[in-house]
Amino acid sequence: MKAAFYQFTPSFGRKEENIAKVISAVKGADLELIVLPEFFATGYQFTSIDEVADLSEPIPDGNTTKALSDLSKEKGIYIVAGLPEKEGDKFYNSAVFTGPEGFIGSYRKTHLFFEEKLYFSPGDTGFRVWDTPIGKIGIMICFDWFFPESARSLALMGAEVIAHPANLVLPFCPDAMPVRCLENRVYAITANRTGTEEREEGKALTFIGKSEIVSPKAEILVRAGEDEEALMIVDIDPKTASDKSLNPFNDILKDRREDIYEG
Ligand code: ACM
């Protein structure tokens, strides 16, 4: 299965321009699943609830989800992408999953990071995994990685590939994901962004790039640079992620000692 990410620098607030950029990057590419960054079409650093309200969209009826569904249908590909979601008077940091049939489903970020807590509600969907012709695909968003329970929950639900839209600012994730993949025997596609946003003076956020695709054996199959725009594609075999045995005696899910663990 040809798995990919697209790392780039979204321009804050310019949804149409960012979506057009994605469409032109993906159009000629030979791939089956692509992961885009968290908030890929809006930018990240909101400074007021009015701004959030203005740039958020209902899912699946908003323009961004429709554009992704159309791209998925036209190319016959699966896409996972992050966007701010509006439902009633609440906002969520969400990701949508689209495929050749159109909209498939969405996930709301469980663990909000930093000032996201000012504007967004914590996700209430729980983790989700979809069984598709290209594999069992689960989603977590950015800071969810910091909590081992996220990837573990997805692995216990049967995910073979974790699609991981991100807007990373801390330096740890790229080197931590091989451990998440190893301890759960899953693939992960982390799609981060690049660039700096300083929408209020003195509050600059620099995004660290280094998007990557990691194997269940902790191999970094591809990794982008810190500051480059990059569409990277690698052939993976999701079925290998359903084998949780390390040797004839150890199976990393069956060997868990829930009778001993706290929490
Ligand atoms: C993050 O969750 N955007 C760091």
Side-chain angles (χ1 to χ4, degrees):
M1 193 264 277
K2 293 189 180 76
F5 60 75
Y6 180 44
Q7 167 175 301
F8 70 111
T9 305
S11 301
F12 189 90
R14 298 175 182 265
K15 279 204 256 187
E16 283 179 20
E17 187 180 309
N18 295 322
I19 292 169
K21 195 170 167 67
V22 166
I23 291 171
S24 91
V26 170
K27 266 234 156 108
D30 180 18
L31 57 88
E32 292 167 270
L33 167 66
I34 185 159
V35 184
L36 303 175
E38 180 181 16
F39 291 165
F40 83 97
T42 56
Y44 181 77
Q45 199 179 30
F46 295 97
T47 57
S48 71
I49 197 70
D50 288 345
E51 230 172 45
V52 175
D54 191 39
L55 290 169
S56 299
E57 297 180 11
I59 293 175
D61 294 328
N63 288 343
T64 302
T65 306
K66 282 194 181 139
L68 295 169
S69 293
D70 288 349
L71 183 59
S72 272
K73 284 186 199 163
E74 198 182 309
K75 275 194 62 80
I77 60 170
Y78 291 84
I79 303 174
V80 175
L83 70 161
E85 177 184 2
K86 177 183 342 214
E87 188 191 61
D89 57 359
K90 287 198 170 163
F91 303 100
Y92 298 93
N93 182 338
S94 296
V96 291
F97 185 35
T98 61
E101 64 271 53
F103 175 74
I104 296 174
S106 63
Y107 161 72
R108 292 171 171 165
K109 186 177 187 177
T110 303
H111 305 97
L112 297 175
F113 178 70
F114 192 52
E115 291 183 342
E116 290 168 30
K117 291 197 174 193
L118 297 177
Y119 307 122
F120 295 96
S121 297
D124 55 1
T125 54
F127 294 100
R128 287 177 168 171
V129 175
W130 291 269
D131 192 356
T132 78
I134 58 161
K136 295 180 181 144
I137 314 296
I139 302 179
M140 65 182 187
I141 300 177
C142 204
F143 191 52
D144 281 332
W145 82 266
F146 220 105
F147 301 82
E149 294 87 350
S150 306
R152 174 51 52 92
S153 298
L154 289 165
L156 287 169
M157 294 167 74
E160 296 163 343
V161 179
I162 296 179
H164 183 207
N167 271 194
L168 299 162
V169 291
L170 301 177
F172 313 112
C173 181
D175 291 337
M177 284 312 291
V179 178
R180 290 286 172 275
C181 289
L182 183 66
E183 68 199 2
N184 292 294
R185 292 248 142 179
V186 292
Y187 287 93
I189 306 168
T190 298
N192 192 28
R193 59 161 288 177
T194 47
T196 296
E197 285 184 356
E198 186 172 6
R199 304 208 51 259
E200 278 177 352
E201 212 179 307
K203 285 187 148 190
L205 289 176
T206 296
F207 303 94
I208 66 161
K210 295 187 179 179
S211 299
E212 63 188 10
I213 301 179
V214 181
S215 82
K217 293 183 176 165
E219 301 149 312
I220 297 169
L221 302 174
V222 281
R223 179 185 275 182
E226 286 172 28
D227 207 18
E228 64 170 335
E229 182 177 324
L231 173 70
M232 291 190 173
I233 307 170
V234 71
D235 233 320
I236 65 171
D237 184 1
K239 284 283 154 275
T240 60
S242 54
D243 178 8
K244 304 299 183 189
S245 65
L246 288 182
N247 58 49
F249 296 91
N250 293 114
D251 177 294
I252 53 123
L253 293 187
K254 290 189 188 137
D255 283 357
R256 295 167 69 241
R257 292 291 309 275
E258 288 179 270
D259 56 326
I260 300 282
Y261 305 149
E262 288 290 333

